[in-house]
Amino acid sequence: MNRPVVVLGATGSIGRQTLDVAAALGLTVAALAARRPRPELAELAARFPEAVLAVAGGSGEERRRFERAVGREVRWGSDEVVALAALRGATVVNGVVGAAGLAASVVALEAGNRLALANKESLVAGGPVVLEALRSSGGELIPVDSEHSALFQLLGGVERAEVARLVLTASGGPFRGRTAAELAEVTPAEALAHPTWKMGERITIASATLANKGLEVIEAHFLFDMPYDRIDVVVHPQSVVHSLVELVDGAYLAHVGAADMRIPIQYALTYPQRLPTPAAPFDLVGRSFTFEEPDREAFPMLDLAYAAGRAGGSAPAVFNAADEVAVQAFLERRLGFQGIPAVVEATLESIPVRSLDGVEDVVEVDRRAREQAAALVAGAC
Ligand code: MG
C-alpha cells in the first residue's frame, strides 16, 4: 500500500477526502490535478509541496495568478491532467466529474497502475473501452463509489456461480415519497439538499432524480460482469447498508457501516489490507433499516438508465451526456426538474446506438449527445 497517490479532481469532494486519508496513512501524494486554477488548489499545493500540479483549464490571467500563488511549475491543459495517470506504480484516484474522467482512467490502467475509480462516467460512458484497457494491461480497478466498493468487498469471498443478484441501495434522495406532479415545481436549492451524502452538484442532482442510481446500475454491470436483470435497486433511506449480494441459497450478504466516503476511499488505497478507520465509530444499537421499492413513475431516470444499459454500445454514454447537460440547465433554471428525464429520453431516442472502439469514439458520442440535449433544452424553454 505504499504506492504514491495521484489525485485527479483534487479539489472536489472525493479528492479532498482522499487527501485527508492519504495524509493520515502517511502516503506520498505524487500529483494533484483539478479543472480550474482556483485558490482551493493553491491551498492543497501548499499542503503537499512535493506533488506535481496539473490544471485542465483557466484563462491566461487566471493561470499567471495561480503560478504566482503556488510558486512552482504547473502543467497546463487537460492532456497534462490525463498524463499524470501514467505515473509508474501509482494509485490513481479518479475523482474527476463527468465524462472528462474517461481518458485518465484508460491511461492509468494502460500504465499498469491501480485505478481507484470514483468517476463513474468512465465505466458508464466507456465501459467496453475501460474493460479492454484493464484486460490488456497489468492494471487494477478498485471502485470507490460506496455501493460498488461494498459489492467489490462482498463478492471477494464468493464464487460467481453462487451469486443470484446484486442489490444496490439508494437513499431515495431529498424527494423520496413525492409524486411526479409534486416534483414538477422543485427548485435547485431543494434538490441540492441531499439527506445523507455530501457530494458535488452534478451527482447530488442526479441523486435527486435517481439518475445517479441508474449510472451505478450500469457501472455495476461492467465492474462485476452482471446482466441487467440480475441487478436491482432498493430504496434504503438510512444509507447504512451500502449494497447487498443475494446468493443462490437465499442468503443475503450486506455491507453495513457509516455513510462516510473516507471508508471506501481508504479501502481502495490499502486493498487488500484493511486499516483502522478515520471515520467516527459506528454504533448498530438503536438503528432500524428499511427497504422499499423505488417509485419508477416519479423517477423515470432509473428505467431510462436500465434501457440505455440494455441497449448497450453508445447508449449509456448518451444517457450520461444528456443527463449532464439537463442537470446543468436545471441548476441554471433553464429546465424544470421533470424536464431532465424528458431531455434524456428524447436524446436517447434521437441518437442511433453504435459500438464503441476507443476513447475517441466515446468522446464523439458524448459530444453529439451534448449537442442534441442542448438543442432539446433550448427548445423546451
Ligand atoms: Mg454511490
Side-chain angles (χ1 to χ4, degrees), residues 120 145-148 169 197 199 212-213 216 219 261:
K120 61 190 79 185
D145 209 351
S146 61
E147 295 80 358
H148 304 81
T169 51
W197 296 101
M199 306 170 289
N212 182 55
K213 207 50 55 179
E216 291 181 354
E219 192 184 4
M261 284 307 295

Side-chain angles (χ1 to χ4, degrees), residues 167-348:
V167 183
L168 291 160
T169 51
S171 71
F175 304 137
R176 183 175 60 91
R178 298 213 198 173
T179 64
E182 287 166 343
L183 288 172
E185 303 304 321
V186 301
T187 64
E190 291 172 90
L192 286 170
H194 194 275
T196 44
W197 296 101
K198 280 225 82 51
M199 306 170 289
E201 285 193 342
R202 191 269 165 133
I203 290 297
T204 304
I205 302 300
S207 297
T209 62
L210 292 195
N212 182 55
K213 207 50 55 179
L215 295 172
E216 291 181 354
V217 167
I218 298 170
E219 192 184 4
H221 163 79
F222 285 116
L223 268 175
F224 306 116
D225 189 23
M226 190 64 67
Y228 285 99
D229 55 8
R230 288 169 61 199
I231 306 174
D232 285 321
V233 172
V234 293
V235 172
H236 165 55
Q238 298 83 13
S239 296
V240 160
V241 178
H242 301 309
S243 276
L244 309 96
V245 173
E246 185 186 357
L247 303 175
V248 289
D249 64 0
Y252 277 86
L253 307 178
H255 186 284
V256 179
D260 187 323
M261 284 307 295
R262 291 174 300 174
I263 298 172
I265 289 168
Q266 175 169 296
Y267 185 76
L269 296 179
T270 66
Y271 169 84
Q273 249 186 303
R274 288 183 187 270
L275 294 177
T277 183
F282 176 79
D283 193 356
L284 277 171
V285 174
R287 289 180 189 271
S288 47
F289 306 165
T290 59
F291 300 99
E292 52 196 71
E293 274 298 326
D295 181 345
R296 291 168 183 270
E297 215 172 296
F299 301 96
M301 290 299 277
L302 186 57
D303 282 343
L304 285 172
Y306 269 96
R310 288 192 168 104
S314 56
V318 171
F319 174 88
N320 175 66
D323 183 62
E324 285 188 31
V325 169
V327 164
Q328 193 56 42
F330 170 69
L331 287 170
E332 293 165 4
R333 293 179 166 270
R334 290 183 285 118
L335 190 68
F337 189 76
Q338 295 297 50
I340 299 172
V343 164
V344 171
E345 184 171 21
T347 308
L348 280 166

Side-chain angles (χ1 to χ4, degrees), residues 347 350-352 363-373:
T347 308
S350 67
I351 298 183
V363 170
E364 174 55 25
V365 166
D366 180 77
R367 190 192 57 73
R368 231 190 115 196
R370 276 167 204 278
E371 265 175 28
Q372 181 66 24

